[in-house]
Amino acid sequence: MKRVCLDLLAAESEAEVDALIAQTPNLADGSNWRPLDGRETNFNVTSNQASDGGKALTELMTNMVDAVLLKHALLKGIDPKGPDAPQTMYAAVDRLIRNLRGGKLVNLDPRDPWLRDFAQKNLVIGIAGAKSKSEGLPSYTFIDNGEGQDPDRFEITFLSLSAGNKKSIPFVQGKFNMGSSGVLRYCGRKWYKLIVSRRFDAASPWGWTLMRRRPGDRDAMPIAEYFVMPDGRIPRFELDFLYPLGLGDGRRYEGVHLSTGTAIKLYDYQVGSKF
C-alpha cells in the first residue's frame, strides 16, 4: 500500500482521490473503514470546533508546533509530563529550540537567517491544485518534522476525539486531543484528509490513513471515518525519505523531505475568502 499512499499524497483534488479509491480494492471496500473515535455519532465534535475553514487550520498549525517541541524534549531526554519539563511554551522554545530571551520571535535580529532555515526544515505548508475560484479549490499539505506517531498509536492520537494525551504537558497548546478533526467539514464535499506519520526515533515504519465522510445519504447525519487494512491495522510501509510536495511539472520538490515526522493533506479545502 506504499504506492497508494504516495499517489494520494501527490493527488491535488477530491476528484483525483475519488479515482484512486475506485481503482484500489481495499479502499473501495466499505468494510475497511471505521468511524472516527470508534463512534457513529462523531458529528457533534467534528462539526463544532471552528466557525470557518481558516480558523480550523490554526488547530493543525498548533499541533505542528506542539509536535516539534515534543520531539526536541524527547531528544534531550526530558519527560514532557515530568517535573523537569518546561512549564510554558515560551520556556520550551528557549530551552529546547533556541534561546530567544523569552521564547518570542520578535526578539530575533531581523538579519538572523536562523528562523527561515529552521522553518524550512521543521514547519512547512504547501498549497497545490486550483489557483482560482473558477478552477475550484486548492489542497493544503501541512508538514512537521516533529514527534510523529507509531502506526499502532494513530487511533489514540490523530484519530481520537477525547483521549486527552497532551492535557498534562504544560508547554503545548493543543490539549483537547481532537485530532485536528475540525478541518474535516471544510475538505470538499467528501471530507478527504490524508495523514502520513513516522515516530521521530524511526523505531517503527511510516503509517498512513485516509479520512472521509461516510458515503451514502447526503441528508443523513454525517459520519467521519478512516481507512484500515482488512486485518484492522493502520496501513504502513518502509521508506527512508518522504517527499510530501511536488512541482508543477510532476517532479518531487527536493527542498522539503522527512525521515520522520508528519504530513497531513486536505483536499479541495474551503479556507474562506478573508484568509
Side-chain angles (χ1 to χ4, degrees):
M1 297 294 284
K2 175 171 71 174
R3 184 71 259 164
V4 175
C5 176
L6 298 181
D7 287 345
L8 286 168
L9 199 53
E12 294 186 353
S13 69
E14 185 175 90
E16 290 181 46
V17 177
D18 278 341
L20 286 166
I21 290 175
Q23 69 189 38
T24 308
N26 282 331
L27 283 171
D29 185 346
S31 66
N32 291 334
W33 295 78
R34 290 180 175 175
L36 181 63
D37 206 41
R39 48 183 165 135
E40 303 282 323
T41 55
N42 52 45
F43 176 72
N44 63 327
V45 177
T46 58
S47 65
N48 288 298
Q49 295 182 44
S51 58
D52 56 55
K55 291 177 181 177
L57 289 186
T58 63
E59 187 178 340
L60 267 179
M61 291 185 277
T62 295
N63 288 346
M64 292 168 69
V65 173
D66 286 351
V68 171
L69 291 176
L70 285 165
K71 172 186 174 179
H72 283 265
L74 294 168
L75 286 173
K76 292 180 183 297
I78 298 171
D79 178 359
K81 298 181 181 181
D84 294 331
Q87 294 303 297
T88 67
M89 182 183 66
Y90 300 117
V93 171
D94 279 344
R95 184 173 164 195
L96 304 177
I97 307 297
R98 178 174 173 176
N99 189 350
L100 300 181
R101 300 181 303 282
K104 297 182 179 181
L105 299 177
V106 70
N107 293 330
L108 274 178
D109 185 313
R111 296 165 296 180
D112 192 330
W114 172 83
L115 179 59
R116 177 179 293 274
D117 180 68
F118 183 84
Q120 289 177 335
K121 292 176 180 176
N122 293 279
L123 297 158
V124 176
I125 301 172
I127 306 173
K131 296 178 177 64
S132 67
K133 288 185 178 179
S134 62
E135 293 181 15
L137 293 164
S139 295
Y140 292 77
T141 306
F142 291 77
I143 303 155
D144 73 71
N145 186 14
E147 178 188 23
Q149 294 296 336
D150 183 300
D152 291 329
R153 288 182 53 83
F154 269 38
E155 291 175 325
I156 61 171
T157 53
F158 296 123
L159 304 170
S160 169
L161 297 176
S162 55
N165 294 301
K166 296 191 289 185
K167 65 182 180 181
S168 57
I169 301 175
F171 59 87
V172 299
Q173 301 175 81
K175 295 179 182 290
F176 300 105
N177 207 77
M178 293 182 177
S180 69
S181 58
V183 299
L184 285 173
R185 69 187 180 113
Y186 301 106
C187 293
R189 294 177 296 113
K190 300 185 179 180
W191 296 10
Y192 289 140
K193 172 186 173 182
L194 177 69
I195 303 172
V196 190
S197 188
R198 188 184 191 193
R199 186 165 166 78
F200 75 96
D201 56 11
S204 58
W206 290 95
W208 70 273
T209 189
L210 181 67
M211 300 176 71
R212 70 178 182 183
R213 173 177 173 161
R214 181 178 293 172
D217 184 357
R218 300 301 296 179
D219 295 325
M221 185 76 75
I223 299 171
E225 59 182 13
Y226 61 95
F227 173 71
V228 295
M229 295 299 291
D231 62 4
R233 302 174 76 207
I234 291 293
R236 59 202 69 200
F237 60 88
E238 296 287 351
L239 188 67
D240 290 337
F241 293 102
L242 184 74
Y243 291 83
L245 301 178
L247 298 170
D249 60 9
R251 293 179 297 135
R252 70 188 187 190
Y253 175 55
E254 302 280 351
V256 176
H257 63 276
L258 296 173
S259 58
T260 61
T262 301
I264 293 177
K265 188 156 190 175
L266 314 174
Y267 303 89
D268 287 13
Y269 194 77
Q270 304 164 56
V271 71
S273 58
K274 62 182 179 179
F275 293 93

